[in-house]
Amino acid sequence: MTWNDDGGGRLGAAFFTPGTASFTDFLTAHRPELLSTRSALPPGVRAAPDQFPHGTTVLALTFRDGVLIAGDRRATMGNVIAQRDLEKVHPADDHTAVAFAGTVGLALDLVKLYQVELAHFEKIEGTAMTLNAKARRLAGMIRGNLGQAMQGLAVVPLLTGYDASAPEGRRGRIFSYDVVGGLYEKRDFHAEGSGSPYAGGALKKLFRPGMDRREAALAALQALYDAADDDSATGGPDLNRRIFPIVSVITEDGFERLPESETAALSHEMIEQRQTLPDGPRTTP
C-alpha cells in the first residue's frame, strides 16, 4: 500500500507525520475506505439472513505449558455447507492467537488487520504490547465494526496468549468478546459460535488443571466432536477428505500449530473411543 504525492513512487506526507502507533488509527485518518469495519451496506439496510458464509465453533483451554486454541473447519450459509476446510485459528504474533465465529469475510479481514496492528505497534514503539493491551486493542477494533454487526454482519473473536508476566500456572490466558466490543477474561476454558453450548459443556466435563499438551488436544477434539454431534453448522473430523480441526498451542516457546499428522492421529483415536462410548468419555466419580 503506497500513497504518492507526485506519482513518482515516493511515500506521501502521511507516512512522515508524527502520530499514533496504531495502524488502524492511521488508516482511519488517511484512508478510511480501506478499513474492513467500513459499512458494506447502505444505512438502514440489513443483511439478508443466511446469504453470507458463517464460521461456527471455536474454543480454547489452558494446559500445563500454556494455552490451546482450536476450531472446526465448517462454514455455512443457512442449511448449505459453504466451505469444509475454513481456517478459523490464526497466529496474531509470536505469543498470541485469535480464532473467530461469525461472518467469514469480515472476520478474515479483521484478523489480518489485527496482525498488522500488533506488528506496526512493535515497529513504532520498539517493544511488543502487553497481553492486556492486545486484548483491549482487539476490543476497540470489534467496537469499530458495530455498525456492520447491527446490520447482521457480526464477528465474534476468541483471543488467547501466553503471558510471561503472569503467575506460574496462569500464563495461558483466554479472552472473549461480544459484538459491541465487551471484553471478558475467561478462566480455564471457553467456547464461541453456534456449537459453543455443546463444546463448552464437554469442556466443563473434561477439563482438569495441569493437563499436558496431548490431553488438552484430545479434550478439545472431544468438545468439537460433541458440538458437531448436536449443531449442524459445526463440522466434525472428515476422515474421507482428511480434513481435521485446527489445533494450536501457545507456550513460552511461542505459537505452534499441531501438525496435521498429529491432529489426524488424535482424531482417529477419539473416533475409535466413540465406538464404545458414542457420547464421549464419562467423568470419573
Side-chain angles (χ1 to χ4, degrees), residues 62-234:
T62 60
F63 69 106
R64 184 177 61 201
D65 299 321
V67 61
L68 179 147
I69 185 167
D72 81 308
R73 308 293 297 276
R74 179 173 292 178
T76 58
M77 288 194 300
N79 64 324
V80 176
I81 297 176
Q83 187 173 348
R84 300 180 188 275
D85 59 352
L86 178 65
E87 303 225 355
K88 304 175 187 176
V89 179
H90 301 267
D93 63 13
D94 290 343
H95 288 87
T96 317
V98 61
F100 65 83
T103 308
V104 171
L106 295 180
L108 291 172
D109 279 350
L110 184 69
V111 168
K112 292 174 184 176
L113 182 59
Y114 185 58
Q115 291 168 333
V116 175
E117 181 80 4
L118 299 188
H120 181 78
F121 180 93
E122 187 168 350
K123 289 178 180 178
I124 296 297
E125 298 294 333
T127 185
M129 288 187 195
T130 65
L131 186 55
N132 286 336
K134 293 175 188 178
R136 290 193 298 269
R137 184 61 58 90
L138 184 56
M141 294 173 66
I142 298 166
R143 197 168 297 117
N145 191 56
L146 180 59
Q148 295 191 91
M150 295 298 99
Q151 291 179 305
L153 300 173
V155 176
V156 183
L158 179 62
L159 181 71
T160 59
Y162 183 87
D163 188 352
S165 65
E168 186 74 30
R170 305 301 309 176
R171 292 180 178 173
R173 299 174 66 188
I174 302 168
F175 300 90
S176 73
Y177 301 85
D178 58 31
V179 295
V180 299
L183 169 62
Y184 314 94
E185 183 164 5
K186 302 295 183 178
R187 292 182 67 91
D188 299 332
F189 59 86
H190 187 67
E192 291 285 1
S194 62
S196 60
Y198 314 108
L203 289 175
K204 187 175 182 180
K205 175 178 66 173
L206 298 172
F207 177 84
R208 60 179 179 79
M211 289 190 293
D212 62 27
R213 187 177 95 158
R214 187 178 189 280
E215 292 169 327
L218 270 174
L221 291 171
Q222 293 277 12
L224 289 172
Y225 192 100
D226 277 353
D229 200 32
D230 288 295
D231 173 43
S232 62
T234 303

